[in-house]
Amino acid sequence: MANSRFEYVKQFESSDSLLPNTWIVIRIDGRGFTKLCAKYNFAKPNDRRALDLMNAAAQAVMTELPDIAVAYGVSDEYSKLITTIASTFTSYYVHLWPQFFPDNPLSPPLPSFDGRAVCYPSVQNLRDYMSWRQVDCHINNLYNTTFWSLIQLGGFDAKEAEKSLAGTLSADKNEILFSKFKINYNNEPEIYKKGSVVFRDYELVEPGSHSVSETIDNIAEPVQQSKTQEEKDKKRRNKACVVVEHLDIIKDDFWDRRPWLLSNKPGKVPKQA
Amino acid sequence: MANSRFEYVKQFESSDSLLPNTWIVIRIDGRGFTKLCAKYNFAKPNDRRALDLMNAAAQAVMTELPDIAVAYGVSDEYSKLITTIASTFTSYYVHLWPQFFPDNPLSPPLPSFDGRAVCYPSVQNLRDYMSWRQVDCHINNLYNTTFWSLIQLGGFDAKEAEKSLAGTLSADKNEILFSKFKINYNNEPEIYKKGSVVFRDYELVEPGSHSVSETIDNIAEPVQQSKTQEEKDKKRRNKACVVVEHLDIIKDDFWDRRPWLLSNKPGKVPKQA
Amino acid sequence: MANSRFEYVKQFESSDSLLPNTWIVIRIDGRGFTKLCAKYNFAKPNDRRALDLMNAAAQAVMTELPDIAVAYGVSDEYSKLITTIASTFTSYYVHLWPQFFPDNPLSPPLPSFDGRAVCYPSVQNLRDYMSWRQVDCHINNLYNTTFWSLIQLGGFDAKEAEKSLAGTLSADKNEILFSKFKINYNNEPEIYKKGSVVFRDYELVEPGSHSVSETIDNIAEPVQQSKTQEEKDKKRRNKACVVVEHLDIIKDDFWDRRPWLLSNKPGKVPKQA
Amino acid sequence: MANSRFEYVKQFESSDSLLPNTWIVIRIDGRGFTKLCAKYNFAKPNDRRALDLMNAAAQAVMTELPDIAVAYGVSDEYSKLITTIASTFTSYYVHLWPQFFPDNPLSPPLPSFDGRAVCYPSVQNLRDYMSWRQVDCHINNLYNTTFWSLIQLGGFDAKEAEKSLAGTLSADKNEILFSKFKINYNNEPEIYKKGSVVFRDYELVEPGSHSVSETIDNIAEPVQQSKTQEEKDKKRRNKACVVVEHLDIIKDDFWDRRPWLLSNKPGKVPKQA
């Protein structure tokens, strides 16, 4: 690198490391997606192709960045980590678009995403974060499903729909859907009700069959794995499929049966994989 | 938003504002571009289409994010700013790729970029940062041009080329290029020697004709423009062309003739624009 | 240092540098001083001895930490800088206490202070910060003087005093002081009305006689002084008196006559000093 | 507060919160204590009065800031927390000085301290931090004891002592102490060998008698205690003695017998306390 008298400017760079040994959550948000939904005529309240495109992009990101499944020990530089993930996600989003919207080519302004990173110190904090997102998804989807049913099936305009939903509880919305439109909310697609969780898939574990305390110890210990073990883990991770599921991630069952999600140790790759 | 007991997790988010009234520089870097250059057979030492694609993406980003030209007063949230720019840049890069490489379609792993933001408190610091980058560009390009000439024209292998350049000064490399390969480095394309600078173009100003002290005052004062003035400025900015040039940005001339770059006030839009 | 397996914990330390080339303001606040004022019977609304003790501690801090006068280029580590200043201030505060309160010895809980650092990128920002504090001082002191006059001289209780001042402007408070208590606020001691500013004192400069643009250039340039010049500056700084004054720091005059405050260059030491 | 046009400067303040639910360690260091040791003739290698003064100041800080024992959930503002602790520590250090050095009054420059805060996400990280400090203490004290024995008892000068210790292991230093000076390092005072740990003292617990998993759950759960329970805890904490001990804090025993240190729940106050 050139040794010019201008190089003093490097001292203005500030470090922005993330706290090690915490669960780093990277949140990616579409920018100005209200306009984008209108521009490309996304279906209301949910556009299956658009959701599938998001999931395909997420799946591709996880396949390309194998450390993500774990969100633990990935990287210590904040800006590099979040811009990498936002950029990789955008790259696949734009690249995969024609597969999901073959008759609807992209034109400027193009879709883009912003992101931010948050560190969660304990497993409980991380699971509470995930639970919060899934509760949010459920509440919003029940509202949107009822709101758009009132408009699309009930002939309401947006103001009337909003007004008739003001102050209603979940039970009220379920009732409106069923009595007015014969819609049983429970029968709505899981992807809309629960959102999507993307993870590396291994053989499920019988709850109770693995030692939870062992898992916790592995987390607490500053893991200094041997290079050989790391290589083995890497190979197993590469063999695993990255899947998109729509499961309950609030209850223990999801986590108990997939101990690899919190232990940072790859599970057993199924025979057929 | 759902009011669940999980919401306490919001308190883990930390603020990451950038210091106001400073020059915010966002640096975008290609990730793993050595591999990407090889995969798509980019020409050595410079691939004009690849550079043009980068510039087209930068131009599109600046057109879409009108506050960038100034890199001042843009935003105060660090992660949102850099991920937005990295994501928008990536979006255009992938979208515009087929125009620049029509016979060379993208395939996974796709190109992606990381980024970081640095705040520079004074005009001098900002200009020194830009000068540093341009000096770096020159030094690297002279080295690479000589290195690849030795390989492509002189039949050296990489080790031999590296060895014969070890310890050479600029004058030595110029001499090697000229005596061995009849290449006058001064005649190399400006885009390779100077890099590219992308900015909104207005009518050039005669150096000395505008008041520098006025400009400096405008910077020092916490500008609280009236809404009307802001609207007018916005319109003028939208009328201006975003251009890609390969000029000397170390000398005063570049900045003196384009006072809008440091004053955060749009210049005069030329008639033909 | 011991090379134990525990040393990995060092990676949890995060850097916290302050942006170079900015004006670093360190604000020191007394903790729980309402209680402390009551415990040691500080006079209301202003206790001259208590203010003098604060100033003596500030003066001692500046004498001991010669880089402070300038608040520029001092240090780049945030926590080290603020804790050093808070600790040095506390040290002198406790040490000097008996000189100011000879009949009122300290007892636990002892006085303590907290602090924080803020970076201001431009001279204008710095001066606005100082102006803000002095405006605040004036507004608060006028209020407190009137409030305590109503109580101490007018026989009001706290609630009555508060009520009769609600919604009053400065002119109203001046009027109350004068008509009810024959107090001309303008004649109140400067230390109460203007606060105290502590700085190294050199020969005053005739406004207009020194080149402001030169000063500004010195600020903008990343000053890489020769070691010899630094040594000379250090000696001159050590010869200068640290004084406590109660001047108007909002108007230009204060700064114009003391160019060393913003130029980071010591002034001329007066003969008698 | 005055509503002046200067108040915009508040936007330059940046937030600096510490990650919640982590173990916050505040490190306080004496500034320029080599000079201070010389000025007040502290004994070499250890001055008991100086150590006792440090411990007395630490004890007073813990008594005054009851949240410290736990270093958990104390505060979320970094600069306020560390300056408060550095300032309170300094305050007691200066105040208590005459009790420990009655014939050696303080004079400027006065002692001062700097500090910094680090967050440790897990109990294991926290214990490893503490272990690291104690290992460091042992290594340094063994070195210093041997070094000063060579000088004070062996007639070496500093260079000779340094040279004869270069490359020696612990066993070698033990051997030198014993064979040359009949000093059995194991018989040295615990305060020098192990350092001092200051904590609130409650009835010791029989290891194994309390549920560790319960403790861990209490840590993992975002504790939202009822106000009543908090009040009760506060009272119990105020009744507890803050003690200074010189124990092994690397082995489990210290922590197992004092579960309140990691559980953030006060223990049982002994009868006699």
Side-chain angles (χ1 to χ4, degrees), chain A residues 15-46:
Chain A
S15 119
D16 59 342
S17 48
L18 293 162
L19 192 65
N21 198 19
T22 56
W23 303 90
I24 303 167
V25 169
I26 311 285
R27 217 151 62 194
I28 299 285
D29 286 309
R31 295 182 52 250
F33 262 44
T34 309
K35 272 192 186 170
L36 187 129
C37 293
K39 179 177 171 187
Y40 297 105
N41 290 310
F42 284 9
K44 291 288 183 189
N46 294 300

Side-chain angles (χ1 to χ4, degrees), chain A residues 58-243:
Chain A
Q59 211 169 2
V61 168
M62 283 202 42
T63 306
E64 200 157 292
L65 303 172
D67 290 321
I68 286 188
V70 194
Y72 170 70
V74 181
S75 161
D76 68 340
E77 203 180 330
Y78 177 60
S79 51
K80 197 159 175 176
L81 180 62
I82 54 168
T83 54
T84 292
I85 293 174
S87 172
T88 306
F89 190 91
T90 308
S91 203
Y92 280 96
Y93 192 90
V94 173
H95 183 70
L96 296 171
W97 177 276
Q99 290 180 29
F100 292 85
F101 296 94
D103 311 322
N104 216 350
L106 281 175
S107 63
L110 298 182
S112 63
F113 301 84
D114 59 45
R116 64 173 307 173
V118 185
C119 294
Y120 294 99
S122 75
V123 168
Q124 195 58 51
N125 296 146
L126 174 75
R127 284 198 45 193
D128 285 349
Y129 172 77
M130 304 288 272
S131 299
W132 175 47
R133 303 316 305 144
Q134 192 162 59
V135 166
D136 222 46
C137 167
H138 162 69
I139 301 276
N140 289 335
N141 187 59
L142 177 56
Y143 182 93
N144 290 336
T145 304
T146 321
F147 179 84
W148 287 99
S149 297
L150 287 170
I151 289 175
Q152 294 166 343
L153 307 173
F156 284 50
D157 66 21
K159 274 201 179 166
E160 290 166 347
E162 206 184 322
K163 207 175 160 185
S164 70
L165 290 177
T168 57
L169 302 177
S170 291
D172 303 324
K173 297 190 193 77
N174 274 303
E175 181 57 25
I176 291 173
L177 283 173
F178 194 71
S179 62
K180 290 209 175 188
F181 312 114
K182 299 287 171 238
I183 294 171
N184 185 337
Y185 183 73
N186 287 334
N187 297 339
E188 290 291 293
E190 292 298 302
I191 186 176
Y192 301 157
K193 288 185 301 182
K194 297 230 168 55
S196 303
V197 55
V198 185
F199 51 89
R200 256 171 212 83
D201 208 19
Y202 302 98
E203 268 189 19
L204 290 185
V205 158
E206 215 46 52
S209 72
H210 75 293
S211 164
V212 171
S213 66
E214 190 194 324
T215 306
I216 285 176
D217 283 352
N218 287 327
I219 295 163
E221 268 298 317
V223 187
Q224 285 293 33
Q225 291 196 323
S226 63
K227 277 282 156 198
T228 337
Q229 187 57 43
E230 263 179 46
E231 279 306 307
K232 273 187 201 163
D233 285 1
K234 208 175 157 182
K235 269 186 199 163
R236 270 215 271 175
R237 242 174 233 126
N238 285 339
K239 272 190 198 152
C241 287
V242 174
V243 297

Side-chain angles (χ1 to χ4, degrees), chain B residues 4-77:
Chain B
S4 70
R5 72 179 174 87
F6 302 120
E7 279 192 67
Y8 80 94
V9 295
K10 279 197 238 172
Q11 69 183 282
F12 289 91
E13 296 173 18
S14 71
S15 119
D16 59 344
S17 48
L18 293 163
L19 192 65
N21 197 20
T22 57
W23 303 90
I24 303 167
V25 169
I26 311 286
R27 218 151 63 194
I28 299 285
D29 288 308
R31 295 181 53 250
F33 262 45
T34 309
K35 271 192 187 170
L36 186 129
C37 293
K39 179 177 170 188
Y40 297 106
N41 291 309
F42 284 7
K44 292 289 182 186
N46 294 300
D47 185 303
R48 183 61 196 240
R49 299 160 306 166
L51 290 177
D52 287 345
L53 169 56
M54 290 292 282
N55 287 337
Q59 212 170 2
V61 168
M62 283 202 43
T63 306
E64 200 157 293
L65 302 172
D67 289 322
I68 286 188
V70 195
Y72 170 71
V74 180
S75 160
D76 68 340
E77 203 181 331

Side-chain angles (χ1 to χ4, degrees), chain B residues 95-115:
Chain B
H95 183 70
L96 296 172
W97 178 276
Q99 289 180 29
F100 292 85
F101 297 95
D103 311 322
N104 216 349
L106 282 174
S107 63
L110 298 182
S112 63
F113 300 85
D114 58 46

Side-chain angles (χ1 to χ4, degrees), chain C residues 28 48-69 85 88-93 96 99-100 191 196-201 237-238 240-246, chain D residues 108-110:
Chain C
I28 298 285
R48 183 61 195 241
R49 297 161 307 162
L51 291 177
D52 287 344
L53 169 56
M54 289 294 281
N55 287 338
Q59 212 171 1
V61 169
M62 283 201 44
T63 306
E64 198 156 296
L65 303 171
D67 290 321
I68 286 188
I85 294 174
T88 306
F89 190 91
T90 308
S91 203
Y92 280 96
Y93 192 90
L96 296 171
Q99 291 180 27
F100 293 85
I191 186 175
S196 303
V197 54
V198 185
F199 52 90
R200 254 170 214 82
D201 207 20
R237 242 174 234 127
N238 286 340
C241 288
V242 174
V243 296
V244 179
E245 302 278 6
H246 319 291
Chain D
L110 298 183

Side-chain angles (χ1 to χ4, degrees), chain D residues 23 25 120 122-131 255 262:
Chain D
W23 303 90
V25 169
Y120 295 98
S122 75
V123 168
Q124 195 58 51
N125 297 147
L126 174 75
R127 285 199 43 194
D128 285 350
Y129 172 78
M130 304 288 271
S131 298
W255 304 95
L262 299 176

